[in-house]
């Protein structure tokens, strides 16, 4: 009995297989093969790029590189000024982008009653997120450097990037605000809280994780940005004090811009690879922490 | 009694005025995005139009010769426009099929852990700063292209296209994957019940059902490729030639960036005009994108 039923099933499989013509089978196989190939190619690309950059760069990431300023006299190359400039730009850009971005999201989600206005604001935000960084660089140069007389400076660069990161902060905050249950709002309002009181004490604290995710993603974008900074923040490699960084007229290259200069203009590839390693590590840490936060948010 | 009522009334009044103040503040924050878009557009138009009128619209847009610093300068930007178009199309030609196959694999076929790993790789590829891609291109792709095709110099349109293809890949994969995941299970079950194999179902039912999302991913990729500046600047050779696959070329983005630092007079104005043309392209892409996504929402 067992045997018979066994042959029966295998027969069934055989006829089912026979139902698929050889041509059809080959087609399915080809599609599957292409899929594996595409997925493998993507992974290999990533591993190859990262592997090669670490291979070339890691030996040159030295304490001396990280802690000194470049000097033509002693032929020393250090990237401390570039690290500081990157930090300054992150902080200044966020000081502007964060309140405006969170404020916009709060307005869109909690206050706005005029649907047309909401649509226009959302259209504007989308447009901002689609503008390429070289255009931001040019607009920043025209508006902040020239029209507002800041000169090529950290401040002008940071303001340019503030505009550029605004859409990221608006979007992540808005997504977080949408996950706050309406019952929270109703509860607060029913207890007699005004709308602002409700936003401040109930809505914003519940949306905190989303806002932090927005900050992290913005930092990632700022750290990786270069085209928008070339003609706004400039290419200087001197150490600036925090006070100087917010005074107009003090130029400074970030890590990305200095990488470009060392690779393209000066042919110092070892330094360029070392900076690339640092950039990769920063962006990966940022990526992973944003993801962890996002997971927490979903719970 | 009377006292407490007036006290309450004054408190209510105060609360109301606080409410109004914050409502106005949030409204102002919301207007910032609109203001930025308007400012950027106005500044680009004001600085971009004069050179176009001076040179003549057709001479500028369809002139095949760019010699901005020659004794008798000529400002035709057709080489840049065509290079951007060719480079973008070439990159998409590779990354769209690879991206779609990879997205199908991730969304429909890959076992959990494998999908998670490949997805992580895709996210990290998206996070790598463009200067790092540029550096990788300069050191790996340019010399390989030179050797492979036996050329005097590997910095050409082909190398730039390869770099762009890698850079565009992640946005195509992740956007297409999201679209594929959103396809209702019933579609696939119907196809399976009719006797199609799983692979056939995925390609003949799921993929067509997700086409608007896939198309969105392609448009997003187009935007990213056409706006990319730094990576391209490091590998394309930067000579204002009419495009040819193994010729040194300039893209719209790099045409703006490469002369900005030393330009003056009409040459500088013409650079702003190039930026305006690029901005126009980007706005068109945004409009198409918006049409596509809003159509998706209606469904």
């Amino acid at each position: 009995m067992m045997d018979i039923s066994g042959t029966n099933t295998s027969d069934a499989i055989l006829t089912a297989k026979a139902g698929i013509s050889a041509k059809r089978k080959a087609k399915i196989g080809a599609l599957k093969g292409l899929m594996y190939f595409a997925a493998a190619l993507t992974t290999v690309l990533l591993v190859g790029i990262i592997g090669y950059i670490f291979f070339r760069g890691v030996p040159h990431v030295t304490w001396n590189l990280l802690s000194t300023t470049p000097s033509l006299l002693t032929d020393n190359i250090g990237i401390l000024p570039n690290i500081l400039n990157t930090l300054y730009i992150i902080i200044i850009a966020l000081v502007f982008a964060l309140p405006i971005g969170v404020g916009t999201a709060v307005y869109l989600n909690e206050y706005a009653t005029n649907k047309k206005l909401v649509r226009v604001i959302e259209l504007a935000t989308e447009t901002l997120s689609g503008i390429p960084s070289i255009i931001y660089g040019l607009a920043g140069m025209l508006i902040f450097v020239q029209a507002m007389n800041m000169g090529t400076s950290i401040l002008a660069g940071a303001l340019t990037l503030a505009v550029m990161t605004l859409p990221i902060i608006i979007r992540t905050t808005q997504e977080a605000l949408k996950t706050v249950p309406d019952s929270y709002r109703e509860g607060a309002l029913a207890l007699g809280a005004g709308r602002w009181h409700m936003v401040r004490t109930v809505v914003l604290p519940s949306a905190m994780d989303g806002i932090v995710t927005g900050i992290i993603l913005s930092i990632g974008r700022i750290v990786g940005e270069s085209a928008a900074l070339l003609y706004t923040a400039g290419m200087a490699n001197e150490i600036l004090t925090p006070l100087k960084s917010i005074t107009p007229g003090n130029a400074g290259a970030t890590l990305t811009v200095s990488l470009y200069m060392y690779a393209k203009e000066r042919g110092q590839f070892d330094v360029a690879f070392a900076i690339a390693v640092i950039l990769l590590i920063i962006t990966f840490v940022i990526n992973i922490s944003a993801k962890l936060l996002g997971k927490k948010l979903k719970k | 009694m009377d006292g407490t009522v007036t006290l309450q009334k004054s408190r209510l009044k105060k609360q109301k005025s606080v409410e109004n103040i914050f409502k106005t503040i949030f409204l102002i924050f919301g207007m910032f995005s609109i203001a930025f878009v308007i400012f950027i557009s106005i500044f680009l138009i004001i600085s971009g139009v004069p050179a176009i009128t001076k040179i003549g619209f057709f001479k500028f847009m369809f002139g095949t010769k760019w010699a901005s610093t020659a004794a008798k300068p000529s400002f035709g930007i057709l080489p840049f426009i065509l290079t951007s178009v060719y480079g973008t199309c070439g990159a998409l030609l590779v990354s769209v099929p690879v991206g779609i196959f990879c997205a199908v694999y991730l969304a429909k076929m890959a076992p959990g852990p494998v999908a998670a790993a490949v997805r992580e790789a895709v996210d990290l590829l998206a996070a790598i700063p463009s200067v790092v891609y540029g550096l990788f291109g300069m050191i790996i792709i340019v010399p390989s292209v030179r050797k492979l095709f036996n050329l005097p110099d590997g910095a050409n349109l082909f190398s730039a296209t390869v770099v762009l293809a890698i850079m565009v890949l992640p946005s195509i994969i992740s956007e297409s994957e999201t679209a594929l995941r959103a396809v209702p299970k019933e579609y696939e079950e119907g196809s399976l019940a009719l006797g199609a194999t799983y692979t056939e179902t995925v390609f003949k039912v799921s993929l067509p059902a997700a086409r608007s999302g896939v198309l969105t991913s392609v448009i997003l990729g187009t935007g990213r490729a056409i706006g990319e500046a730094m990576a391209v600047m490091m590998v394309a050779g930067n000579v204002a030639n009419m495009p040819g696959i193994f010729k040194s070329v300039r893209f719209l983005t790099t045409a703006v960036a490469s002369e900005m630092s030393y330009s003056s007079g009409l040459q500088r104005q013409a650079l702003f005009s190039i930026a305006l043309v690029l901005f126009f392209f980007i706005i068109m892409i945004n409009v198409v994108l918006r049409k596509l996504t809003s159509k998706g929402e209606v469904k």
Side-chain angles (χ1 to χ4, degrees):
Chain A
M1 272 302 266
M2 279 280 277
D3 241 274
I4 294 167
S5 76
T7 37
N8 269 352
T9 38
S10 62
D11 269 356
I13 291 171
L14 267 177
T15 40
K17 270 192 181 162
I20 297 177
S21 68
K23 206 177 146 196
R24 209 170 137 198
K25 244 195 215 159
K27 220 171 151 190
I28 292 170
L31 285 174
K32 271 193 179 159
L34 282 171
M35 269 193 299
Y36 294 136
F37 171 74
L41 181 67
T42 310
T43 322
V44 166
L45 272 176
L46 177 84
V47 174
I49 292 175
I50 294 177
Y52 185 75
I53 284 172
F54 272 70
F55 167 71
R56 287 285 306 260
V58 168
H60 301 284
V61 183
T62 57
W63 179 245
N64 184 55
L65 180 78
L66 298 176
S67 63
T68 57
T69 50
S71 152
L72 288 174
L73 279 177
T74 58
D75 215 21
N76 182 50
I77 290 183
I79 57 167
L80 182 62
N82 311 115
I83 297 176
L84 287 176
N85 291 337
T86 310
L87 274 178
Y88 291 147
I89 289 195
I90 292 174
I91 294 169
I92 301 169
L94 283 179
V95 162
F96 286 95
L98 194 59
I100 298 177
V102 172
T104 305
V106 168
Y107 179 75
L108 290 174
N109 212 51
E110 311 291 330
Y111 281 92
T113 42
N114 184 343
K115 280 226 169 91
K116 246 189 192 150
L117 184 61
V118 170
R119 271 230 298 281
V120 175
I121 294 177
E122 281 179 344
L123 178 69
T125 326
E126 270 171 43
T127 310
L128 282 182
S129 68
I131 296 178
S133 41
I134 183 79
I135 299 268
Y136 273 114
L138 215 63
M141 188 180 95
L142 288 168
I143 297 172
F144 297 122
V145 175
Q146 292 174 358
M148 289 170 79
N149 240 338
M150 290 179 194
T152 308
S153 60
I154 296 276
L155 186 62
L159 288 173
T160 309
L161 292 200
V163 181
M164 203 177 85
T165 49
L166 195 59
I168 303 176
I169 293 182
I170 294 176
R171 185 172 39 85
T172 47
T173 309
Q174 231 185 331
E175 272 165 20
L177 289 176
K178 276 178 189 157
T179 62
V180 177
D182 270 342
S183 55
Y184 288 20
R185 296 189 179 88
E186 284 153 10
L189 291 176
L191 286 172
R195 196 156 275 268
W196 160 239
H197 194 223
M198 171 200 85
V199 166
R200 185 165 54 92
T201 56
V202 178
V203 175
L204 282 182
S206 323
M208 213 51 202
D209 283 351
I211 297 173
V212 175
T213 310
I215 295 176
I216 293 176
L217 290 176
S218 307
I219 294 176
R221 178 95 202 252
I222 296 171
V223 168
E225 185 49 54
S226 43
L229 291 171
L230 217 46
Y231 300 110
T232 53
M235 306 162 193
N237 286 322
E238 272 161 54
I239 290 200
L240 298 172
T241 59
L243 185 67
K244 267 196 163 170
S245 75
I246 53 171
T247 336
N250 288 306
T254 58
L255 284 169
T256 44
V257 174
S258 69
L259 189 164
Y260 172 75
M261 298 306 288
Y262 282 121
K264 191 85 204 313
E265 311 290 335
R266 297 175 55 180
Q268 301 268 11
F269 292 113
D270 291 341
V271 185
F273 274 109
I275 300 175
V277 167
I278 297 168
L279 285 173
L280 282 184
I281 292 174
I282 298 175
T283 40
F284 292 167
V285 168
I286 283 170
N287 215 307
I288 290 164
S289 37
K291 209 165 264 179
L292 289 179
L293 257 176
K295 261 188 199 149
K296 201 175 142 202
L297 196 67
K298 262 181 200 157
K299 276 177 195 164
Chain B
M1 268 295 263
D2 232 34
T4 49
V5 169
T6 45
L7 192 72
Q8 263 183 351
K9 265 188 183 164
S10 79
R11 256 176 69 184
L12 260 173
K13 225 179 179 175
K14 205 175 144 198
Q15 199 187 355
K16 236 185 178 162
S17 68
V18 170
E19 279 301 317
N20 280 330
I21 290 172
F22 275 99
K23 196 177 174 180
T24 327
I25 290 179
F26 284 124
L27 174 66
I28 293 172
F29 279 153
M31 303 307 265
F32 264 98
S33 304
I34 304 178
F36 286 143
V37 172
I38 294 175
F39 263 113
I40 293 173
S41 316
I42 289 179
F43 269 89
L44 284 177
I45 291 171
I46 290 180
S47 26
V49 167
I52 297 183
T53 50
K54 253 181 243 169
I55 297 160
F57 180 77
F58 284 98
K59 242 178 150 180
F60 181 70
M61 292 293 283
F62 302 109
T64 55
K65 199 176 158 215
W66 174 269
S68 57
T69 48
K72 211 179 155 224
S74 137
F75 299 97
I77 65 163
L78 193 65
F80 309 146
I81 296 178
L82 287 182
T83 302
S84 278
V85 172
Y86 291 169
T88 304
C89 291
L92 290 174
L93 215 59
V94 180
S95 58
V96 167
V98 174
I100 290 177
F101 274 110
C102 188
V104 172
Y105 178 72
L106 288 180
K108 301 289 171 192
M109 302 290 246
V114 178
V118 178
R119 217 169 281 141
E120 199 66 40
V122 172
D123 285 349
L124 290 183
L125 267 182
I128 295 177
S130 46
V131 279
V132 175
Y133 276 114
L135 179 65
F136 181 77
M138 266 177 98
I139 302 300
I140 292 288
I141 296 173
V142 169
S144 328
V145 167
R146 183 170 54 87
K147 267 187 219 146
L148 199 64
F149 298 101
N150 217 352
L151 303 162
D153 183 14
N156 52 32
L157 179 58
F158 185 80
S159 302
T161 309
V162 172
V163 172
L164 281 179
I166 302 176
M167 294 182 76
V168 167
L169 192 58
S171 34
I172 291 180
I173 296 176
S174 51
E175 196 70 26
S176 302
E177 196 205 335
T178 316
L180 279 163
R181 281 178 179 280
V183 173
K185 268 227 154 61
E186 290 79 5
Y187 290 16
E188 286 158 16
E189 281 160 1
S191 156
L192 288 171
L194 287 171
T197 67
Y198 188 65
T199 314
E200 286 172 324
T201 302
V202 165
F203 280 94
K204 291 196 176 151
V205 177
S206 315
L207 196 55
R211 64 179 176 276
S212 88
V214 174
L215 198 57
T216 307
S217 81
V218 175
I219 309 276
L220 270 178
T222 312
R224 183 151 189 210
I226 223 165
E228 178 52 45
M230 297 305 271
V232 165
M233 192 135 88
M234 291 165 88
V235 296
N238 272 329
V239 183
N241 284 326
M242 280 299 266
I245 189 155
F246 293 126
K247 268 197 207 162
S248 259
V249 287
R250 262 188 213 173
F251 288 65
L252 281 168
T253 48
T254 53
V256 177
S258 55
E259 284 183 24
M260 192 50 85
S261 53
Y262 57 84
S263 61
S264 61
L266 183 61
Q267 178 197 6
R268 196 177 179 79
Q269 287 180 327
L271 296 183
F272 289 125
S273 311
I274 299 176
L276 184 61
V277 172
L278 177 63
F279 186 61
F280 180 75
F281 279 141
I282 294 289
I283 295 291
M284 294 318 288
I285 290 173
N286 271 1
V287 169
V288 175
L289 201 60
R290 209 179 151 68
K291 279 249 165 74
L292 267 176
T293 45
S294 63
K295 218 163 110 196
E297 272 161 26
V298 172
K299 271 182 192 170

